[in-house]
Amino acid sequence: MVLYWLFFRGVKSPARKPFTESSEAPNSQQDSLVPGNPKDVSEKSLWEISQEFTPVLREYQELPQTYGDNKMVVMAKDPYWLYTYWELSPQRWEELAHYFTTETLEQAQPVLRVYDVTDLDFNGNNSHSYFDQLINPLANNWYVFVPEPDRTYCLDLGRLLPGGVFITLLRSNPAAVPRVSISDVVDEAWPPIKEIYRVYGADSHEKNVTSPGR
Amino acid sequence: MSHGYLALVLHAHLPFVRHPDDEAALEERWLYEAISETYIPLLKVFDKLVNDGVDFRLTMSLSPPLITMLSDPLLQERYLRHLFKLRELVYKELDRTYHQPEFHPTAQMYQYRINECFHTFKKYGHNLVNGFKRFQDLGKLELITCGATHGYFPLHGLYRQAIRAQVATAVDIHTRHLGRPPVGIWLPECAYNPGDDEILKEYGLKYFFTDTHGILYAAKQPRYGVFAPLHCPSGVAAFGRDVESSKQVWSADEGYPGDFNYREYYRDIGYDLDYEYIKPYLHPDGIRLNTGIKYYRITASKSDHKEPYVREWAMERAAQHAGNFMFNREQQIKHLAGIMDRKPLIISPYDAELFGHWWFEGPDWLDFLIRKIAHDQNTIKLVTPNEYLKEYPVNQVTTPCSSSWGQKGYHEVWLEGSNDWIYRHLHKAAERMTELVHTYPEAYGLYDRALRQAARELMLAQSSDWAFIMKTGTMVDYAVRRTKSHLGNFSRLYDDLKEGTLDEDWLAKLEETNNIFPDIDYRLYA
């Protein structure tokens, strides 16, 4: 059990049902080697008895809520999903208050603007296309669905004002989402052998038993 | 003359778990169990093959945390104590099962195996890295490296210096322990992102592996599918995993390890036996755990009723399964050889710890397989990736697709609701590490020590194992605490370095506990 998660990566065991340390334990009367009660196990979970780690001072035991940055990072999770997190300092909001009335800002919608910047040196205005994703105003991270794999996206966190004006608060790094199928590009010096693709299939990542149930 | 090649690849890795202050730390048992059930049995298999004059080739990655733990004197001593305790239990078991002919032979098997553990452990001077090195030096094993702490490259990739430090530190420690630099690398979780190969090239690594679709979905259609490597634009080769051979071993429905004659993992006497009897071998707090002594076979897939384990039957099945695996590879190679204009190559990678720990008979299967390949056929030949590249140095050039061997094939196992919160902190720490290097490009004494420890703490926090555990939901608290404690240690070192308030006693304690990579170069983060 202890190692199960680690080695067998916890998900699909080969056609076996895991016994846990408590309720699913095997029927002791029938199967145990000696009479006994295998269920008198302490219900305390294994990690409760794990040791305390080397001295972390109290103020470092919990991670900070914020690092005081103005920063937005985006990463590809898979061909259709991006994950972004960000941090916005109070000063940034104060700057905005110089330009817009409180009322305008209150009415503005919190938005992620998702730009397709594939093969571009993006300057804020030259994206192939973009769309807006409404978000929760209190969020500091979000998963964004993107329509097309094998493209590079860049995100702005901003506010959409009632008149349609978009204010950028933060801009992310660009992130490429992976391909989800075989490329159309054929290498003339290395033409694909069709028979291999016929037999060994195209949708490999879907059919694939990835590793131990990962 | 063979028609094609098979490369068996075993990825051996455990996260760095070392708690000097707590001998009863449950998590340290991961190492002890893996030593007894996987690493020693594998070394025994190699040993017998060499003694019998059977030629073989196998590729194995030894992750830097694993190398560090295997060569750590404290953990070696604790492993021996663990083994003594286990031997005592086995002696009691011999007594207890004396009049139970259905169980006694199995108890005798454990006695034999434990003696083998003592013998092998001693033979290699308590350091099993020496064992693997021996077979490397004999030309049988191609030992390759992994990320320094098994960091998940695509999710740290924005910070190129973090990837560089993972690669450079791994290559350095591998070279120190194994006497020669690694030729290849097992990317942690088989996770690749285009461009990472540039860093591999800087450190002399010639190849890495991707999952099947990493190759199949390359920027240009690969001529040979996964049956030949690609060269990245950097010149580093990428080898793709074969689906069919993976499925035969891993698959929940079709995989060999689920055979009813094989040993049942979940019927351990640590859970089954009378509490008072087994208590001395459990955790001091009385928590039941796996002792490794198990008497039953899988018997049936959907029933809790289990029959006693019969070693002979299990061995027979292992031999049959090895024959079946070989037959299927022969068919595959014959077919491919007919349609390809070069010898096809099948890459079959597995977690090393599958063999023996989870699939008890796995090392025997491997033994049978290697012997059969050597004696019973002429179609396939075992090869290492480096040997293959020597025969076929020219390969199609294109960029593999970002991928991993995790569920669904991309990055979501390590980036989802349970673990996404770690990345903002890990990224910040990587950024700060670079800032520290710029502040202290040449540090001495206490500052040098603090900077090195900061790099160690950062790397330990980056282990993909923590994100994985958070996702799978078992032992989550341990993973969360490890992440937070390494990040906390890092933050304090960062603050102390910035403010000149280093606490030498505390630093010394950290150095003693998290003592991975003694020679780490913190300037890698520049």
Side-chain angles (χ1 to χ4, degrees):
Chain A
M1 198 59 201
V2 173
L3 274 177
Y4 174 68
W5 60 266
L6 183 64
F7 294 148
F8 226 71
R9 305 302 184 181
V11 190
K12 297 176 204 151
S13 67
R16 303 187 211 179
K17 190 178 94 182
F19 299 125
T20 62
E21 52 269 52
S22 56
S23 59
E24 289 179 79
N27 181 330
S28 59
Q29 298 311 313
Q30 193 184 338
D31 290 338
S32 278
L33 297 171
V34 296
N37 179 8
K39 290 171 191 156
D40 55 2
V41 186
S42 162
E43 291 298 318
K44 219 194 301 186
S45 53
L46 291 174
W47 56 76
E48 283 176 66
I49 54 169
S50 289
Q51 61 300 308
E52 286 306 317
F53 298 136
T54 327
V56 185
L57 279 194
R58 186 172 300 268
E59 61 263 40
Y60 291 98
Q61 274 171 1
E62 285 306 320
L63 298 169
Q65 294 289 322
T66 160
Y67 292 97
D69 291 336
N70 284 301
K71 174 180 161 187
M72 185 178 196
V73 168
V74 64
M75 301 186 279
K77 183 180 99 165
D78 63 32
Y80 293 102
W81 288 92
L82 298 168
Y83 171 73
T84 175
Y85 70 80
W86 61 87
E87 235 188 59
L88 198 61
S89 67
Q91 290 79 5
R92 196 85 178 80
W93 284 115
E94 284 163 24
E95 284 167 34
L96 276 188
H98 285 298
Y99 300 100
F100 302 98
T101 63
T102 319
E103 196 190 356
T104 311
L105 287 177
E106 275 171 4
Q107 285 172 357
Q109 287 182 305
V111 153
L112 293 175
R113 181 156 286 189
V114 185
Y115 303 94
D116 179 338
V117 300
T118 309
D119 299 326
L120 286 180
D121 188 5
F122 183 51
N123 62 14
N125 297 310
N126 59 344
S127 68
H128 299 293
S129 61
Y130 71 82
F131 64 90
D132 289 341
Q133 165 76 54
L134 280 180
I135 58 166
N136 184 314
L138 299 175
N140 66 0
N141 69 99
W142 207 261
Y143 287 91
V144 183
F145 179 84
V146 291
E148 213 182 328
D150 194 27
R151 305 291 292 178
T152 304
Y153 297 94
C154 181
L155 266 56
D156 275 2
L157 172 72
R159 291 292 182 272
L160 198 56
L161 303 186
V165 175
F166 180 75
I167 317 165
T168 296
L169 297 170
L170 293 171
R171 176 159 297 162
S172 78
N173 56 296
V177 288
R179 201 172 286 104
V180 74
S181 56
I182 292 170
S183 166
D184 299 331
V185 183
V186 168
D187 188 339
E188 280 174 20
W190 300 84
I193 298 174
K194 292 207 174 80
E195 176 72 1
I196 288 182
Y197 287 86
R198 193 183 64 73
V199 178
Y200 296 96
D203 308 319
S204 87
H205 83 277
E206 284 161 18
K207 281 192 282 187
N208 201 354
V209 263
T210 51
S211 115
R214 286 183 228 218
Chain B
M1 200 41 192
S2 70
H3 294 92
Y5 294 117
L6 171 66
L8 295 168
V9 183
L10 299 182
H11 169 50
H13 164 67
L14 285 177
F16 184 75
V17 174
R18 183 177 180 276
H19 299 291
D21 295 338
D22 179 15
E23 172 137 21
L26 278 165
E27 296 79 7
E28 279 184 10
R29 293 177 63 92
W30 300 338
L31 175 68
Y32 311 148
E33 291 176 18
I35 290 177
S36 296
E37 296 174 354
T38 296
Y39 309 140
I40 286 179
L42 285 175
L43 287 169
K44 289 297 295 179
V45 167
F46 302 154
D47 203 38
K48 282 188 291 172
L49 289 168
V50 167
N51 286 343
D52 294 347
V54 180
D55 193 24
F56 68 97
R57 293 288 183 283
L58 209 71
T59 304
M60 241 185 125
S61 56
L62 296 180
S63 81
L66 181 60
I67 287 181
T68 304
M69 291 190 291
L70 287 177
S71 46
D72 183 86
L74 173 76
L75 294 176
Q76 290 167 356
E77 190 193 316
R78 285 186 177 178
Y79 172 68
L80 269 182
R81 280 215 285 278
H82 168 85
L83 211 51
F84 276 118
K85 199 90 178 146
L86 199 57
R87 185 162 69 180
E88 186 185 293
L89 174 60
V90 168
Y91 287 159
K92 287 190 186 173
E93 283 297 285
L94 286 170
D95 255 10
R96 192 183 62 81
T97 59
Y98 193 75
H99 295 293
Q100 294 176 297
E102 70 277 31
F103 298 127
H104 194 63
T106 305
Q108 285 175 315
M109 173 189 80
Y110 289 120
Q111 182 193 18
Y112 178 77
R113 288 173 64 94
I114 284 169
N115 287 338
E116 258 188 5
C117 286
F118 275 112
H119 176 77
T120 306
F121 201 63
K122 194 173 160 197
K123 175 175 170 182
Y124 295 116
H126 296 186
N127 183 353
L128 295 187
V129 176
N130 295 330
F132 293 109
K133 181 174 185 298
R134 181 180 154 224
F135 297 103
Q136 167 191 267
D137 295 345
L138 287 170
K140 310 298 181 193
L141 278 189
E142 185 155 298
L143 294 178
I144 59 173
T145 192
C146 188
T149 55
H150 216 260
Y152 192 93
F153 289 7
L155 297 176
H156 298 294
L158 200 53
Y159 297 88
R160 302 313 284 163
Q161 65 278 21
I163 307 292
R164 181 166 290 109
Q166 284 273 341
V167 173
T169 308
V171 168
D172 178 63
I173 194 158
H174 188 97
T175 311
R176 284 171 196 264
H177 284 264
L178 291 155
R180 57 174 92 159
V183 280
I185 184 168
W186 176 267
L187 295 176
E189 314 294 3
C190 218
Y192 169 74
N193 214 26
D196 291 350
D197 46 287
E198 302 281 349
I199 293 174
L200 306 186
K201 186 190 165 80
E202 280 176 43
Y203 293 92
L205 296 164
K206 289 187 194 154
Y207 67 85
F208 63 95
F209 301 92
T210 73
D211 204 339
T212 316
H213 55 293
I215 298 295
L216 278 190
Y217 300 170
K220 293 176 184 169
Q221 277 188 43
R223 174 170 172 76
Y224 303 108
V226 293
F227 303 108
L230 295 175
H231 269 132
C232 299
S234 62
V236 177
F239 291 84
R241 179 162 79 142
D242 171 53
V243 184
E244 221 176 291
S245 57
S246 294
K247 200 151 62 181
Q248 284 188 311
V249 176
W250 284 129
S251 162
D253 312 315
E254 304 150 56
Y256 302 133
D259 189 279
F260 296 162
N261 288 296
Y262 287 146
R263 195 186 73 165
E264 171 62 66
Y265 181 83
Y266 290 107
R267 288 301 302 272
D268 192 288
I269 63 169
Y271 291 95
D272 278 359
L273 289 189
D274 180 69
Y275 189 65
E276 286 308 313
Y277 172 85
I278 199 71
K279 200 176 159 201
Y281 308 96
L282 304 179
H283 187 272
D285 285 7
I287 306 291
R288 287 197 182 252
L289 42 74
N290 278 328
T291 61
I293 314 284
K294 306 166 203 274
Y295 288 100
Y296 291 94
R297 60 180 194 265
I298 294 172
T299 316
S301 62
K302 289 191 178 97
S303 163
D304 286 351
H305 173 75
K306 301 291 171 192
E307 295 287 335
Y309 182 65
V310 183
R311 181 69 177 163
E312 294 73 28
W313 298 357
M315 285 300 94
E316 222 167 88
R317 293 306 283 164
Q320 282 170 14
H321 284 154
N324 175 271
F325 186 88
M326 184 178 77
F327 173 80
N328 284 312
R329 298 294 79 71
E330 284 179 89
Q331 298 306 307
Q332 205 179 352
I333 289 284
K334 276 182 197 158
H335 175 244
L336 287 164
I339 53 177
M340 282 172 65
D341 49 16
R342 62 155 86 180
K343 287 185 182 178
L345 167 67
I346 294 172
I347 300 281
S348 303
Y350 308 101
D351 269 343
E353 293 80 10
L354 167 80
F355 294 85
H357 175 71
W358 171 259
W359 179 17
F360 185 60
E361 297 78 5
D364 306 291
W365 174 85
L366 196 64
D367 189 21
F368 286 128
L369 176 64
I370 290 171
R371 285 169 196 269
K372 281 176 190 290
I373 287 174
H375 299 305
D376 297 353
Q377 57 84 46
N378 291 310
T379 308
I380 41 179
K381 192 169 175 237
L382 290 175
V383 75
T384 69
N386 199 37
E387 286 175 328
Y388 179 93
L389 288 173
K390 279 182 185 154
E391 185 172 343
Y392 295 106
V394 179
N395 291 287
Q396 185 178 357
V397 178
T398 182
T399 308
C401 178
S402 182
S403 53
S404 83
W405 75 350
Q407 222 174 6
K408 298 190 191 166
Y410 295 96
H411 312 309
E412 81 163 71
V413 170
W414 297 271
L415 179 63
E416 53 114 50
S418 66
N419 53 28
D420 53 21
W421 58 273
I422 64 178
Y423 294 101
R424 72 171 65 227
H425 302 290
L426 294 171
H427 291 170
K428 186 65 193 178
E431 200 177 293
R432 284 178 162 179
M433 191 67 225
T434 300
E435 181 195 333
L436 287 174
V437 179
H438 290 150
T439 312
Y440 300 103
E442 289 296 330
Y444 300 96
L446 191 60
Y447 277 70
D448 177 52
R449 283 170 55 195
L451 285 156
R452 287 173 190 235
Q453 193 59 34
R456 288 182 197 112
E457 299 293 336
L458 169 58
M459 282 202 191
L460 288 170
Q462 286 172 336
S463 302
S464 72
D465 308 271
W466 312 141
F468 184 82
I469 298 171
M470 292 173 203
K471 148 89 181 167
T472 56
T474 319
M475 315 283 286
V476 173
D477 198 56
Y478 182 77
V480 169
R481 283 166 50 195
R482 283 293 300 268
T483 303
K484 286 186 179 175
S485 76
H486 293 304
L487 283 168
N489 292 340
F490 177 87
S491 296
R492 181 170 169 198
L493 286 165
Y494 170 83
D495 289 346
D496 287 356
L497 278 159
K498 297 293 272 190
E499 288 156 27
T501 52
L502 285 168
D503 174 347
E504 189 170 0
D505 291 343
W506 177 72
L507 175 60
K509 179 78 183 156
L510 270 191
E511 287 172 325
E512 189 195 320
T513 308
N514 299 329
N515 66 348
I516 197 168
F517 314 139
D519 302 300
I520 194 169
D521 178 5
Y522 72 84
R523 293 170 196 83
L524 288 167
Y525 285 94

